[in-house]
Amino acid sequence: MQENGPSIPRLPGFDSTAAFLREGYDFVGARCRKLGTDAFRTRMMLRPVTCATGPEAARMFYAPGRMTRRGAMPGSVVALLQDRGSVQMLDGAAHRARRGLFLDLMAPERLELARRVLAEEWQAAAAGWQGRTVTLRDAVPEVMTRTALRWCEVPVGEAEVAARTAELSAMIGAAGSIGPSYLRGSFLRARSERWARSVLRRAREEGGETGALARILAHRDADGSGLDEAEAAVELLNLLRPIVAVGRFIVFAAHALHVHRDAIVRSLAEAPGDPARILAIAQEVRRLYPFFPVIGGRVLTPFTWRGRDFAAGEWILLDLFGTGRDGGAWFLPEAFDPGRHLAGGPAAGALIPQGGGDMAGGHRCPGEWLTVALLCEGIRALLALDYRVPPQNLDIPHDHFPPWPHDGMRIDVAPGTGTAGR
Ligand code: HEM
């Protein structure tokens, strides 16, 4: 299909890696605004690349069967997040079959279970927060780790929780780093894989598993074979690690509840606790707060876009963060306005913090509904917690992937019930 539009300019300068690392989340969007385009050509890590932003670019990128994720992200990022042999590195029928493992776990009753488990774990943790200053950056990952382990029905002793929390958090925190932080992330990832293998080995021997663990053990790939121990461990971590990652969105929600308090109070005033309004706040957090800046793809099936022929193997980076702030797709895009989500869902390709396109067949994050369910529960729990926000640096840096609020989002939790209305 020929997809026309303005042509794709080339950036001056030989390579943009340094500028991307310096400007981070804003790199693609700022360049596009300056050039009056939604795509440009440059080099990253000395490789030619097309960077593209906005809903039309997302629709180009997510056309079925067009892109592979193989060779499309730095090896260091792949190794810490998805890892080799995981669903994201597969294409075609093999990908579809493996993806079924994740989608099967996202049935409404499983989302409801996740929500309930998070509510219980939050309640238990919040009981210990009363009368204290709590840094959410430090406290929320353990709540999420406990939630992830229970939701996947992975048995762990109390003594293990701290190790699992450190491992699952480090994989996310170090994915955009180089140097000591990356080495620590790799060490903890390797330790976590060894632990996941032992969990699966024990479950296979003892039998009687239910939930996610049972689904992994029963899984059959497109060729009819089951997952070997290494593949099963990688996919178990592909469930546990991102559930812990949702904790970052919950910390961002705490940031939004403070910084954008007026907009949120206005939105909730008419119908406090209304699930649609909580969901609208969650969507606004996912739209505006930084998580993954871009997703990389390499062309599998040649196509033409903006008058340019894209050959097999070409590299494209789609701007996930900037698309949420696209001036054509969103009215006053910088404003935190939950109301914009109450009139209906976003236009196709406009809200893509977790990727876009088809949920059944493409690479769009299969955990998106789970993320939204957990984030909504996190927002409800924050609204029910009696706390105030002491003075602190609330800046969120844009040159670290992904960032925390500068001071970790500290809150002074009131003594007493700890979970009373605000
Ligand atoms: C903070 C929340 C999350 C964010 C920001 C996020 C973001 C993403 C992104 C950007 C992708 C890549 C999409 C692409 O390649 O086009 C992805 C893929 C994936 N995510 Fe998530 N995700 C989150 C939560 C989850 C959860 C809760 C799960 C499961 C429990 C999950 C499991 C996966 C898997 C398995 C893939 C690979 C899918 C495939 O290649 O088919 N994610 N996610």
Side-chain angles (χ1 to χ4, degrees):
M1 183 175 54
Q2 173 89 18
E3 291 159 283
N4 284 316
S7 63
I8 302 178
R10 184 176 294 278
L11 284 193
F14 182 69
D15 187 278
S16 296
T17 313
F20 178 70
L21 292 176
R22 198 173 52 244
E23 294 170 35
Y25 292 90
D26 306 314
F27 171 79
V28 180
R31 293 288 176 303
C32 282
R33 273 192 300 281
K34 194 163 162 208
L35 295 166
T37 177
D38 63 356
F40 58 82
R41 304 263 306 146
T42 184
R43 282 173 196 267
M44 292 269 195
M45 296 176 295
L46 307 178
R47 278 171 69 187
V49 64
T50 300
C51 298
T53 192
E56 284 186 34
R59 292 198 291 272
M60 168 276 286
F61 188 90
Y62 281 102
R66 188 169 272 181
M67 299 283 175
T68 179
R69 302 294 178 270
R70 276 176 291 126
M73 296 299 275
S76 54
V77 174
V78 174
L80 275 190
L81 294 180
Q82 293 279 333
D83 214 348
R84 287 156 193 89
S86 78
V87 58
Q88 203 183 25
M89 296 298 119
L90 301 175
D91 292 305
H95 171 251
R96 228 185 156 84
R98 183 74 67 84
R99 198 175 156 81
L101 189 168
F102 293 90
L103 293 178
D104 282 358
L105 291 168
M106 302 299 159
E109 62 276 12
R110 295 229 19 116
L111 302 186
E112 175 54 25
L113 173 68
R115 206 195 53 65
R116 248 188 0 253
V117 172
L118 173 57
E120 286 170 15
E121 292 299 339
W122 182 281
Q123 189 85 22
W129 297 346
Q130 294 173 36
R132 289 179 41 212
T133 298
V134 175
T135 304
L136 290 174
R137 173 197 58 207
D138 303 333
V140 170
E142 184 181 314
V143 175
M144 300 311 291
T145 300
R146 290 178 184 278
T147 301
L149 291 166
R150 269 183 67 192
W151 185 74
C152 289
E153 298 182 36
V154 175
V156 288
E158 190 55 31
E160 274 187 68
V161 173
R164 303 291 81 90
T165 304
E167 290 159 4
L168 295 166
S169 306
M171 287 179 225
I172 308 153
S177 314
I178 43 177
S181 160
Y182 176 73
L183 291 178
R184 178 171 176 274
S186 306
F187 167 76
L188 291 175
R189 162 102 207 178
R191 197 174 83 183
S192 196
E193 279 189 24
R194 282 197 300 279
W195 164 80
R197 285 181 192 211
S198 73
V199 165
L200 287 153
R201 210 175 305 132
R202 220 173 25 244
R204 218 185 279 278
E205 283 161 12
E206 291 170 7
E209 296 302 332
T210 54
L213 220 46
R215 180 64 186 81
I216 292 175
L217 291 175
H219 179 75
R220 289 285 169 268
D221 268 345
D223 63 1
S225 63
L227 300 180
D228 66 27
E229 203 172 274
E231 289 167 331
V234 162
E235 300 305 17
L236 175 57
L237 294 184
N238 258 345
L239 287 167
L240 296 173
R241 182 202 62 253
I243 293 175
V244 176
V246 177
R248 250 171 226 258
F249 273 147
I250 296 177
V251 176
F252 289 148
H255 185 275
L257 288 173
H258 180 65
V259 172
H260 305 292
R261 190 178 170 78
D262 292 349
I264 290 172
V265 166
R266 242 190 341 268
S267 174
L268 288 175
E270 288 166 37
D274 170 21
R277 281 162 203 265
I278 303 281
L279 173 63
I281 298 168
Q283 294 296 51
E284 209 49 353
V285 168
R286 290 194 328 123
R287 182 178 77 83
L288 282 172
Y289 281 84
F291 209 108
F292 290 117
V294 293
I295 181 77
R298 274 175 56 243
V299 175
L300 268 184
T301 317
F303 65 99
T304 303
W305 187 66
R306 302 280 186 255
R308 184 174 192 284
D309 295 328
F310 285 84
E314 279 200 45
W315 189 30
I316 302 180
L317 287 180
L318 175 68
D319 182 19
L320 301 179
F321 175 77
T323 299
R325 295 172 180 241
D326 184 276
W330 302 100
F331 178 66
L332 297 178
E334 301 293 328
F336 190 98
D337 174 15
R340 67 172 88 236
H341 299 283
L342 290 173
L351 185 63
I352 54 166
Q354 297 178 241
D358 179 27
M359 186 52 100
H363 283 278
R364 182 187 195 124
C365 175
E368 189 168 357
W369 302 325
L370 178 58
T371 302
V372 170
L374 290 169
L375 178 53
C376 286
E377 186 54 41
I379 292 169
R380 253 181 242 116
L382 283 164
L383 287 169
L385 188 67
D386 190 1
Y387 67 90
R388 51 177 286 285
V389 176
Q392 63 192 289
N393 185 342
L394 291 160
D395 288 352
I396 298 180
H398 273 197
D399 60 352
H400 188 85
F401 316 117
W404 290 110
H406 188 280
D407 288 352
M409 200 62 222
R410 281 184 285 114
I411 57 171
D412 293 337
V413 181
T417 65
T419 51
R422 288 178 93 197

